[in-house]
Amino acid sequence: MNTNFLKLSGVLALTAFAQSARAELKWEQTSVDLRPAFNDKQAVAHFKYENVGNTPIHFKSVHASCGCTTAQTQNEQVAPGQKGEITATFNIGGRTGTQVKTVTVQTDDPEPSTIVLTLKAVITPLLEFQPTLVYWQNGEEPKPKIITAKANKDAAIKKLDVASSTPDFTAKVDAGSAPNEFRISVQPRDTTKAVYATLTIKPDSPANTGNMFAAAARVMPPAPTNKSTLSTIRHDPATPTPTAGSPRQ
């Protein structure tokens, strides 16, 4: 029998076996967008997978990108046809805005062996302010200026209390032009002197949570004045300054 034919047959058999004995972990999605409620403590993402190959797959490691996020898988080994999920839990704490956390997963699935899962949480704060600072130029007419406060729609805030750290400013609160909106009117008593104040803002909801926010008001100092002192040297025309070539008497 031809030895080359035997070698070729062996190679083809091994190739066919390798193709038939394959592992493949298929993910339902590798990125999850979440919008936690204002009083949620955690945001949890579920990344579902399935072994669509015909050999087992093993998880080598599952690591979250930071200490505020944990990740765990249901199984260390995924049999052919088996489904499961990796759960990523982000501890919100006092964070607001868009938070992006990742989980890096390594398996013995050859292609690919590393997958990065992404959890994105958009956290709406209890209150948002625009602007956070109002100010007056020195000597400007002391008219009120407005800070707009927008409340989280799920917080059911009906009232804001505002206190100034100094008596140089007064503040009052009225309903805004849109739902869940407040207008904080801030006015200085005098704009002839520089002064700064912190405005402490406390909502009536959630009750007994002690949530407080801060804005600021300021009267600017007077603009600096630039004075140029010009020195002139005057010479008596009757006694001219001697020069190097002038004869001495």
Side-chain angles (χ1 to χ4, degrees):
M1 182 176 291
N2 192 320
T3 56
N4 290 332
F5 176 77
L6 291 176
K7 290 180 180 179
L8 179 61
S9 299
V11 170
L12 292 175
L14 288 173
T15 303
F17 176 78
Q19 290 177 343
S20 62
R22 64 182 180 85
E24 183 181 351
L25 201 62
K26 184 177 181 181
W27 296 88
E28 186 175 288
Q29 55 185 350
T30 57
S31 180
V32 174
D33 292 349
L34 301 173
R35 289 187 172 270
F38 78 95
N39 57 350
D40 284 350
K41 304 299 182 185
Q42 296 178 327
V44 182
H46 301 276
F47 299 94
K48 297 183 179 181
Y49 56 77
E50 179 183 1
N51 184 355
V52 296
N54 48 27
T55 59
I57 294 175
H58 300 84
F59 286 102
K60 293 182 176 180
S61 64
V62 178
H63 291 302
S65 58
C66 67
C68 60
T69 305
T70 60
Q72 59 183 12
T73 182
Q74 290 177 322
N75 308 290
E76 297 299 323
Q77 175 179 301
V78 187
Q82 185 178 2
K83 297 180 179 181
E85 67 178 41
I86 286 179
T87 304
T89 303
F90 164 52
N91 295 305
I92 295 172
R95 299 172 183 85
T96 59
T98 300
Q99 303 288 324
V100 178
K101 309 298 174 183
T102 59
V103 176
T104 302
V105 180
Q106 288 187 321
T107 71
D108 60 1
D109 186 358
E111 293 183 3
S113 60
T114 301
I115 292 289
V116 177
L117 309 174
T118 303
L119 180 160
K120 183 172 78 172
V122 180
I123 306 163
T124 304
L126 188 63
L127 281 169
E128 294 179 283
F129 300 95
Q130 184 62 39
T132 56
L133 168 68
V134 287
Y135 65 93
W136 291 256
Q137 297 296 338
N138 194 271
E140 180 182 344
E141 188 176 354
K143 290 184 177 181
K145 296 192 177 183
I146 302 299
I147 297 174
T148 301
K150 187 175 182 181
N152 189 303
K153 62 183 180 61
D154 298 323
I157 295 174
K158 303 297 183 185
K159 179 184 176 185
L160 295 180
D161 291 325
V162 182
S164 172
S165 61
T166 75
D168 298 283
F169 294 91
T170 59
K172 67 174 185 176
V173 183
D174 297 306
S177 58
N180 307 304
E181 188 177 277
F182 300 88
R183 286 166 52 89
I184 303 171
S185 177
V186 186
Q187 186 172 16
R189 296 187 185 277
D190 183 14
T191 61
T192 61
K193 62 177 182 178
V195 64
Y196 178 90
T198 299
L199 305 173
T200 302
I201 305 162
K202 184 177 180 181
D204 64 344
S205 177
N208 304 319
T209 58
N211 283 312
M212 289 191 293
F213 300 83
R218 184 178 185 183
V219 175
M220 304 298 289
T225 56
N226 296 322
K227 293 183 178 180
S228 298
T229 303
L230 299 178
S231 61
T232 59
I233 302 176
R234 297 181 180 180
H235 300 288
D236 187 348
T239 55
T241 304
T243 62
S246 300
R248 297 180 181 272
Q249 301 294 331

